[in-house]
Amino acid sequence: MSDKFIPIQAYGKPAGGFGSLRGTARALTGYGPFPALQTLAHVNQPQGIDCPGCAYPDSPTDKAVDFCEQGAWAISHEATPKRATPAHFAAHTVSELRKNEEWQLEALGRLTAPMLYDRASDTYREIEWAQAFELAGASLRALDCPNRAVFYASGRSSNEAAFPYQLFARAFGTNNLPDSSNYCHEASGDALRLSIGVGKSTVTREDFEHAEAVFVFGQNPATNHPRMLGDLRHAKLRGCKIVVFNPLLERGLQKFTDPQAAGELLTGSSTPIADEYYQVRVGGDLAAITGIIKALLEADSRAPGLLDRAFIADHTQGFEALEAVVRVQDWPEIERSSGLSRAQMEQAAQLYAASNATISTWCMGLTQNEYAVETIQMLTNLMLLRGNVGKPGAGLMPVRGHSNVQGDRTVGVTSRPKAEWLQGLERVFGFTPPSAPGLDAVSVIRGLLDGSVHAFTSLGGNFAVAGPDSPRVLDALSRCKLTVHIATKLNRTHLYPGQTGLLLPCLGRTEHDEQAGGQQFVSVEDTASMVHASTGRNRPASEKLRSEPHIVTELARHTLPGSTIDWAGMGRDYDLTRDLIERVAQGAVAGFEQYNANIRRKRGFHLPNTAALREWKTDSGKANFAPHALPQDGIMQRARAVHGDRVVCLATVRAHRQYNTTVYHDPTGEVDRYRGVHGTRKVLFIGPATLARLGFKDGDTVNLRAASVDGIERVVEGYRLVEYPIRGDDVFGYFPELTPLSSPDLTARGSNTPAFKQVPILIER
């Protein structure tokens, strides 16, 4: 993508519509329409292919088309005819490949053969699978301690790969099992478990058909999970109120034309989505929610009946403590911290009080800031006040990103395993797994930087680029004794191999998986806890590809030659793996009974959510109100105390042409349709008042410097300022290009999630 000057103009059309149809067409034609076009007919269909694009639930009813534009890009890039062959790697050194941009690495196409890094030539060279497994196993066995090794998992992998992966790590002797949830929704799980006893969504997709109001926080569905806009549109058309809290005005939450609604398409009409759109400050959601609760409590004092007193008495504890804390919060401070006026928060409270069934949804706008856990607990408090957990059309919904990040966690990929899960492993497999907590993702970064981590294995993902301080982390990876990456395509993390560096290509979600036990399918769990099958149909990109379950189990078999676990059986027959998951889950995870039978049902099965049933698996046996006063100290205050008032707050966001760290190249140059960006990703969105205060103007080229408090210099250069309707000193730029500005010390309290939405920076000419 070029950094030449291209006018950036506001997108005046609705989200979706013909723009999405054209985008879908470009996704298919840019990489060859077949087999991607054939594949799309099976995406998100019963017993079809689960879209790798996001974890939003599939339709509960028959729907001929249940994919979105972003899903089409994900499918077309997996089904691309382009190949990153051993010949290409032999002709290009790793140092040369590092000069490519993210989209150029992605555009090389599918990996086709296992490769080992050759330090003498600075290239990856093809090797045999048996040699790859032997090298990895020998390197892991040579470590002086199992905790020197890390087993990272991306949320793209299936249950059938994730389960043997976590079993491998624990049989090896470590709980160092970080996953992509550590980077995004860890704060959601922690907050919800403390408040209602379960860390997952209490909402199913059907609940959107019964909700009277939907409150949307820190979320951009049009880019990150577009199918949700269809549900919001249908809810709006039947009279449901949509209330949005977001520091950026996102087009999809303002107006939307459903590409599947012929009437809207042909008439050029659209559906306004948000009834009210509140532009909170970055990190201001905690104060905004506090203000809504305060307004609700004050209104109930004047006219009792707004609170669900029966629900509070029967199902909760701690209401009095919450009320005491909220009532003493000062309105001027709430307004300053939230960026909203008292009248706006009182209006939001009225909308909430008028609804008898409310859903609250959120994404990383809430989870990636310092007080993320407190914010989500306060949102849960708001929902409990009117009994909006455990009834139709109501509940709490953290919308996950990776298509199976929730499933990976359910089947044991976590650095903090529950005792019941470990007991199940010991009962079924006959060994005592480690019980001490392992390293999460940010702790792994610290371990890489200080040299205490010696081996890094990754089941998918782009670990270093997805996390903070990426240049330093990449360099640290190259000093490891072993790096193993199981992947479909090349990414930047792969270009920093360790002393022994392996790149192992796997089948994609869309591809036919034939094992010794016959044709296989895998299973995944979506945001709403629906577990369903996914069966690949495409011809594999190379005859040398192996499935993720096969690669994982062979790595385990070669690392643990004395193990009595049937690794080879799990690698060739996924029914065996599902039987083992069912056995281990007894007493630990409800809902996996008759796993193999139920996964073959048309739409799979639902894992029960105890909070949705008003069964509270908390220490108190009830839902817990968790009171939090407004914080008096935070990341920005600490940075300004050191660097002065020129510090601004950077929040990273994704462009329309990307999924997580994967950046798609659109041949038309489109980068971010709804924000009007073409041709470059090196832009910084900034409000007019902040431009004037700092002495800049729209279009200026600047460098961005982290306002670090740890003394480490972090700079990115050559960014273009784009004037945008933003309030306060918040600025926005694209992830992952701006992750180098974030320190591993900038995290959410308690959950250790990177605070990518609160990075203090200085803007320099």
Side-chain angles (χ1 to χ4, degrees):
M1 294 179 186
S2 170
D3 295 329
K4 66 182 180 180
F5 186 90
I6 298 176
I8 294 175
Q9 299 176 339
Y11 187 79
K13 301 175 183 178
F18 282 111
S20 286
L21 293 178
R22 285 192 292 269
T24 299
R26 288 202 299 272
L28 299 177
T29 58
Y31 283 85
F34 299 97
L37 185 59
Q38 295 172 318
T39 304
L40 284 173
H42 302 285
V43 170
N44 297 329
Q45 297 298 318
Q47 301 297 319
I49 300 168
D50 184 72
C51 179
C54 78
Y56 196 71
D58 295 346
S59 173
T61 57
D62 290 338
K63 191 175 182 182
V65 177
D66 195 27
F67 64 86
C68 65
E69 177 189 359
Q70 297 297 74
W73 281 86
I75 293 294
S76 69
H77 274 240
E78 181 173 300
T80 174
K82 295 187 177 182
R83 301 288 182 263
T85 64
H88 181 87
F89 284 95
H92 297 85
T93 66
V94 165
S95 298
E96 290 172 351
L97 291 170
R98 289 175 183 173
K99 297 175 183 178
N100 288 314
E101 295 185 48
E102 306 301 326
W103 69 268
Q104 291 173 312
L105 297 176
E106 168 70 16
L108 290 176
R110 294 289 300 278
L111 299 169
T112 62
M115 288 178 290
L116 172 68
Y117 178 63
D118 177 61
R119 196 164 299 276
S121 64
D122 188 30
T123 59
Y124 272 110
R125 298 282 180 165
E126 182 178 359
I127 62 170
E128 296 299 319
W129 276 106
Q131 183 186 2
F133 295 137
E134 289 167 2
L135 283 170
S139 296
L140 286 169
R141 289 196 305 274
L143 298 176
D144 61 4
C145 172
N147 285 326
R148 296 290 194 189
V150 165
F151 297 81
Y152 175 74
S154 160
R156 185 208 67 200
S157 57
S158 64
N159 287 352
E160 290 73 13
F163 178 79
Y165 193 63
Q166 60 85 37
L167 181 62
F168 173 25
R170 295 188 168 109
F172 183 68
T174 185
N175 280 321
N176 289 346
L177 276 156
D179 67 342
S180 51
S181 188
N182 296 155
Y183 280 153
C184 52
H185 269 290
E186 196 68 44
S188 296
D190 286 353
L192 292 175
R193 277 190 294 272
L194 291 168
S195 292
I196 61 174
V198 61
K200 301 180 181 182
S201 171
T202 70
V203 172
T204 66
R205 196 165 172 182
E206 293 95 319
D207 283 310
F208 282 88
E209 300 172 6
H210 307 288
E212 295 181 14
V214 179
F215 277 51
V216 180
F217 291 85
Q219 202 170 343
N220 181 17
T223 288
N224 299 326
H225 30 266
R227 287 184 295 150
M228 183 178 179
L229 284 181
D231 287 345
L232 292 178
R233 173 182 174 272
H234 286 299
K236 181 65 182 290
L237 290 174
R238 61 172 180 76
C240 177
K241 298 293 184 183
I242 312 296
V243 183
V244 174
F245 296 80
N246 205 316
L248 278 179
L249 295 174
E250 301 290 12
R251 196 58 181 158
L253 291 169
Q254 295 174 299
K255 290 185 177 182
F256 173 62
T257 297
D258 190 339
Q260 298 184 41
E264 284 190 346
L265 279 176
L266 295 176
T267 61
S269 59
S270 63
T271 301
I273 298 298
D275 290 276
E276 297 295 338
Y277 203 125
Y278 300 113
Q279 263 189 286
V280 294
R281 293 178 57 184
V282 168
D285 303 274
L286 176 56
I289 296 164
T290 299
I292 296 170
I293 293 175
K294 184 176 178 70
L296 190 65
L297 292 173
E298 291 175 350
D300 185 72
S301 296
R302 295 189 299 269
L306 296 182
L307 306 185
D308 189 338
R309 297 283 181 177
F311 175 85
I312 292 171
D314 293 342
H315 292 282
T316 73
Q317 68 89 34
F319 169 74
E320 293 78 9
L322 173 71
E323 183 177 28
V325 168
V326 170
R327 284 193 182 274
V328 299
Q329 302 304 301
D330 186 58
W331 271 116
E333 178 61 20
I334 293 173
E335 290 178 306
R336 186 198 67 78
S337 297
S338 67
L340 303 179
S341 68
R342 176 176 178 175
Q344 287 177 305
M345 288 178 273
E346 289 176 336
Q347 180 189 44
Q350 291 171 1
L351 289 167
Y352 178 64
S355 167
N356 293 311
T358 302
I359 293 172
S360 282
T361 80
W362 67 93
C363 208
M364 287 178 282
L366 291 198
T367 65
Q368 290 182 333
N369 65 75
E370 185 175 16
Y371 290 92
V373 172
E374 292 86 346
T375 301
I376 295 164
Q377 285 191 310
M378 285 297 282
L379 179 56
T380 305
N381 292 339
L382 175 63
M383 296 291 282
L384 293 175
L385 287 173
R386 286 185 52 78
N388 277 310
V389 180
K391 65 180 181 182
L396 294 149
M397 188 179 199
V399 181
R400 311 281 178 170
H402 282 86
S403 61
N404 194 41
V405 64
Q406 190 160 291
D408 282 4
R409 182 62 62 88
T410 299
V411 299
V413 176
T414 174
S415 59
R416 297 180 293 172
K418 293 181 179 179
E420 296 87 348
W421 184 262
L422 297 180
Q423 290 162 8
L425 292 178
E426 184 168 8
R427 184 184 68 251
V428 173
F429 295 104
F431 74 97
T432 302
S435 58
L439 301 177
D440 63 15
V442 171
S443 298
V444 168
I445 286 173
R446 296 191 181 107
L448 287 166
L449 294 175
D450 67 24
S452 58
V453 170
H454 294 175
F456 183 86
T457 299
S458 180
L459 181 59
N462 191 0
F463 177 82
V465 172
D469 232 352
S470 50
R472 296 176 68 224
V473 178
L474 288 166
D475 183 62
L477 276 170
S478 67
R479 296 194 296 271
C480 282
K481 293 180 179 179
L482 172 70
T483 55
V484 179
H485 298 291
I486 304 168
T488 58
K489 303 182 100 174
L490 185 68
N491 66 46
R492 191 164 304 281
T493 300
H494 304 154
L495 298 177
Y496 291 79
Q499 181 178 331
T500 298
L502 291 164
L503 189 51
L504 307 181
C506 63
L507 295 172
R509 186 78 58 80
T510 62
E511 289 172 318
H512 185 82
D513 183 355
E514 187 74 29
Q515 300 295 330
Q519 182 181 355
Q520 305 295 313
F521 67 87
V522 297
S523 57
V524 297
E525 178 187 347
D526 63 30
T527 285
S529 298
M530 287 297 300
V531 182
H532 52 272
S534 179
T535 305
R537 287 170 166 76
N538 293 348
R539 183 177 181 178
S542 165
E543 64 180 12
K544 295 182 180 180
L545 300 185
R546 299 294 182 265
S547 73
E548 287 180 319
H550 174 85
I551 296 171
V552 166
T553 53
E554 284 300 291
L555 285 171
R557 194 168 69 85
H558 284 77
T559 303
L560 305 168
S563 174
T564 59
I565 296 171
D566 187 6
W567 300 109
M570 283 188 281
R572 64 174 178 259
D573 183 356
Y574 305 166
D575 276 354
L576 171 60
T577 305
R578 287 184 284 269
D579 283 337
L580 292 169
I581 293 173
E582 178 182 338
R583 291 171 59 193
V584 172
Q586 292 175 13
V589 182
F592 278 112
E593 298 78 15
Q594 299 184 346
Y595 191 176
N596 269 311
N598 289 335
I599 198 62
R600 287 172 165 83
R601 290 161 53 184
K602 184 176 181 181
R603 290 187 175 84
F605 60 95
H606 182 252
L607 294 178
N609 184 293
T610 51
L613 301 172
R614 294 190 171 178
E615 299 172 5
W616 315 106
K617 302 296 184 180
T618 62
D619 290 342
S620 67
K622 291 190 174 184
N624 296 315
F625 282 104
H628 297 289
L630 296 183
Q632 301 303 308
D633 175 54
I635 288 172
M636 299 308 299
Q637 290 96 321
R638 295 193 294 274
R640 285 172 177 146
V642 176
H643 296 278
D645 63 2
R646 291 185 67 83
V647 173
V648 296
C649 180
L650 166 68
T652 61
V653 295
R654 287 184 285 191
H656 195 63
R657 282 287 166 266
Q658 76 176 99
Y659 179 70
N660 291 334
T661 62
T662 301
V663 177
Y664 302 132
H665 176 56
D666 188 318
T668 69
E670 180 179 294
V671 171
D672 197 350
R673 180 191 315 152
Y674 300 136
R675 299 187 185 111
V677 180
H678 293 73
T680 179
R681 292 174 59 87
K682 297 183 71 172
V683 297
L684 187 75
F685 300 99
I686 184 169
T690 306
L691 271 176
R693 184 176 76 81
L694 298 180
F696 295 107
K697 64 180 184 300
D698 179 53
D700 280 352
T701 300
V702 298
N703 296 336
L704 309 179
R705 182 181 301 276
S708 302
V709 296
D710 59 10
I712 296 174
E713 183 175 276
R714 301 176 176 91
V715 180
V716 296
E717 299 178 340
Y719 272 70
R720 174 183 165 190
L721 296 179
V722 176
E723 184 175 327
Y724 213 71
I726 300 168
R727 298 175 180 176
D729 282 337
D730 299 330
V731 297
F732 296 81
Y734 292 129
F735 166 94
E737 286 84 354
L738 293 178
T739 58
L741 295 173
S742 183
S743 163
D745 294 331
L746 301 179
T747 60
R749 303 186 329 156
S751 71
N752 216 26
T753 307
F756 286 140
K757 299 295 187 283
Q758 282 183 316
V759 182
I761 66 168
L762 297 162
I763 304 174
E764 302 174 344
R765 292 194 183 280

